[in-house]
Amino acid sequence: MMTDPIEGGCLCGACRYTSTGEILNIRACHCHRCQKATGAAFYARVMVPLESVAMSGPVGWFGSESGVRRGFCQNCGTSLFSERQSANTIGLSMGSLDTPDRYAPQDHIWMSSKQEWLRLDDGKPQYAEGPPA
């Protein structure tokens, strides 16, 4: 199933990306690692197949022992991607999408790490850790 192209980029405009792949899932992750990487209370992202994304600009990458590699603009620091090569997937940061209102998280994961002040009333499933298999 193909979707309309998903397009986005960074704050300064130096980095751009497009995906024409199938949306695999849309999630909000509340783990501490995502909070640190994005500088936000949670990381909302649209996951697509890795090979479906074309990107341009000065994208920098930061790898971690978790197997997730995070992409960001080397000029302005915008958090753009979370890539898991072992699963052939890439998460597109919802904050970097040109039209973020087209998408809404299907669920919330790693609620065990959610910031205490955050209240969620969207009615979406919430999982203490990762989603059920």
Side-chain angles (χ1 to χ4, degrees), residues 3 6 15 25-26 40 44 50 57-58 68 71 79 83 89 92-93 95 101-102 110-111 118 123 132-133:
T3 62
I6 302 170
C15 294
N25 61 59
I26 305 170
L50 180 56
V68 174
S79 201
E83 176 190 275
T89 60
L92 310 174
S93 167
D101 289 338
R102 285 178 48 193
W110 289 98
M111 294 297 288
L118 183 62

Side-chain angles (χ1 to χ4, degrees), residues 30 32 35 38-43 111-121:
H30 298 265
H32 288 300
Q35 290 176 32
T38 62
F42 58 90
Y43 173 53
M111 294 297 288
S112 58
S113 301
K114 178 184 76 64
Q115 293 189 14
E116 288 187 29
W117 57 264
L118 183 62
R119 302 291 177 255
L120 299 170
D121 64 356

Side-chain angles (χ1 to χ4, degrees), residues 3 15 18 22-23 34-37 41 53 61 65 85 97 99 101-102 124-125 128:
T3 62
C15 294
T18 302
E22 175 185 359
I23 294 174
C34 283
Q35 290 176 32
K36 286 281 193 182
V53 178
W61 294 94
E65 71 281 355
Q85 289 184 331
L97 298 175
T99 55
D101 289 338
R102 285 178 48 193
K124 304 295 182 184

Side-chain angles (χ1 to χ4, degrees), residues 6-19 27 34 36-40 42-48 50 53-62 68-84 89-98 100:
I6 302 170
E7 298 180 321
C10 66
L11 180 62
C12 74
C15 294
R16 295 290 305 157
Y17 63 84
T18 302
S19 173
R27 291 205 165 103
C34 283
K36 286 281 193 182
T38 62
F42 58 90
Y43 173 53
R45 54 101 180 118
V46 177
M47 184 171 285
V48 297
L50 180 56
V53 178
M55 56 185 81
S56 63
V59 176
W61 294 94
F62 176 78
V68 174
R69 191 169 81 136
R70 301 196 185 259
F72 59 94
C73 174
Q74 291 185 47
N75 289 345
C76 67
T78 298
S79 201
L80 299 167
F81 312 110
S82 57
E83 176 190 275
R84 190 176 297 271
T89 60
I90 188 167
L92 310 174
S93 167
M94 287 181 64
S96 70
L97 298 175
D98 289 348

